[in-house]
């Protein structure tokens, strides 16, 4: 009887210890400090920082400076500039490249050119030039621009120096009824010789046109 009592008591003791031990282990597991999810926490921090940066207002950038054209030293009205020279002309007329109109593939060049301008029926202007290094007397090109059939020089040939340029000038009459008067001039500039001619309705108009042309003439 005593042995049976000891057996039953031992069994009950073991049965009591098993659930007790399980409960203790469960409580210990519940009370143990949990390991923080380091990677998940870092990802959340990164997201929060990025969202904060995006939400921050961006300072307004200063607009770039606006370029404004500088004023031209001289008026371009009534000024023709091409082929490395400039020359004055009436503001209401324009020069055309005569060589280009005759042959599109062979326009004027630095060394050889022919321009004309007109305002029917009051004025017709011609300008030719030729590269001739070392030439000091431009009269040969004046003779070239004068038309033997239509132009007659009047008075003596005027020879003068204008801004280091040798200039020859003469008034003319023409056989063209619409423009019976005119003048012609030639000069040297650098390695080129230029010749100019105008037909006008009044005798004094051509001289004024030549003076304006030479006042604004320059060659590069």
């Amino acid at each position: 009887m005593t042995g049976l009592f000891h057996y039953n008591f031992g069994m009950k003791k073991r049965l009591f210890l098993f659930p007790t031990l399980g409960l203790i282990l469960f409580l210990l597991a519940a009370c143990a400090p949990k390991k923080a999810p380091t990677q998940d926490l870092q990802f959340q921090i990164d997201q929060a920082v990025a969202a904060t940066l995006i939400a921050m207002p961006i300072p307004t950038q200063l607009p770039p400076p606006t370029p404004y054209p500088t004023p031209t030293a001289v008026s371009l009205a009534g000024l023709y500039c091409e082929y490395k020279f400039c020359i004055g002309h009436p503001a209401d007329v324009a020069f055309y490249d005569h060589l280009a109109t005759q042959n599109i593939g062979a326009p004027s060049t630095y060394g050889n050119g022919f321009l004309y301008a007109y305002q029917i029926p009051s004025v017709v202007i011609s300008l030719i030039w030729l590269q001739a290094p070392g030439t000091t007397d431009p009269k040969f090109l004046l003779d070239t621009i004068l038309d033997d059939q239509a132009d007659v020089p009047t008075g003596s040939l005027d020879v003068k120096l204008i801004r280091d340029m040798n200039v020859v000038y003469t008034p003319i009459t023409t056989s063209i009824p619409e423009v019976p008067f005119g003048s012609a001039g030639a000069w040297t500039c650098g390695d080129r010789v230029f010749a100019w001619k105008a037909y006008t309705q009044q005798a004094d108009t051509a001289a004024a046109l030549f003076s304006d042309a030479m006042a604004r003439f320059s060659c590069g």
Side-chain angles (χ1 to χ4, degrees), residues 9-209:
F9 178 76
M11 288 294 294
K12 290 179 181 180
K13 184 176 181 180
R14 284 195 295 271
L15 291 175
F16 174 77
L17 288 175
F18 283 133
T20 302
L21 181 60
L23 178 60
I24 292 172
L25 292 175
F26 174 77
L27 292 174
L28 290 175
C31 296
K34 295 182 178 180
K35 189 176 182 180
T38 306
Q39 294 182 352
D40 291 344
L41 181 59
Q42 186 61 46
F43 177 73
Q44 293 177 9
I45 293 173
D46 293 342
Q47 281 191 322
V49 172
T52 302
L53 294 176
I54 293 175
M56 291 178 64
I58 300 176
T60 303
Q61 296 182 355
L62 294 176
T66 303
Y68 293 99
T70 57
T72 306
V74 295
S75 173
L76 299 180
L79 183 66
Y80 176 88
C81 290
E82 190 59 82
Y83 305 111
K84 293 188 177 181
F85 73 87
C86 294
I87 190 168
H89 61 83
D92 53 353
V93 301
F95 274 117
Y96 298 91
D97 190 333
H98 180 70
L99 296 185
T101 60
Q102 298 298 309
N103 186 348
I104 297 178
S108 297
T109 64
Y110 174 88
N112 179 38
F114 183 4
L115 306 179
Y116 69 96
Y118 59 88
Q119 186 182 63
I120 302 298
S122 59
V123 61
V124 179
I125 302 173
S126 302
L127 177 68
I128 62 175
W129 66 90
L130 182 67
Q131 189 171 16
T135 301
T136 58
D137 186 0
K139 187 177 182 302
F140 77 95
L141 204 59
L142 177 66
D143 296 336
T144 301
I145 202 172
L146 291 175
D147 187 341
D148 294 338
Q149 304 300 318
D151 305 333
V152 178
T154 61
S156 60
L157 188 66
D158 188 8
V159 181
K160 49 190 172 182
L161 187 66
I162 300 178
R163 299 195 312 278
D164 298 329
M165 297 182 294
N166 294 322
V167 179
V168 292
Y169 172 82
T170 182
I172 62 174
T173 58
T174 81
S175 60
I176 305 172
E178 292 80 8
V179 282
F181 303 101
S183 63
W187 62 95
T188 58
C189 187
D191 61 349
R192 290 182 289 182
V193 182
F194 295 82
W196 176 99
K197 182 174 68 175
Y199 293 153
T200 61
Q201 291 182 323
Q202 288 81 33
D204 56 349
T205 303
L209 289 176

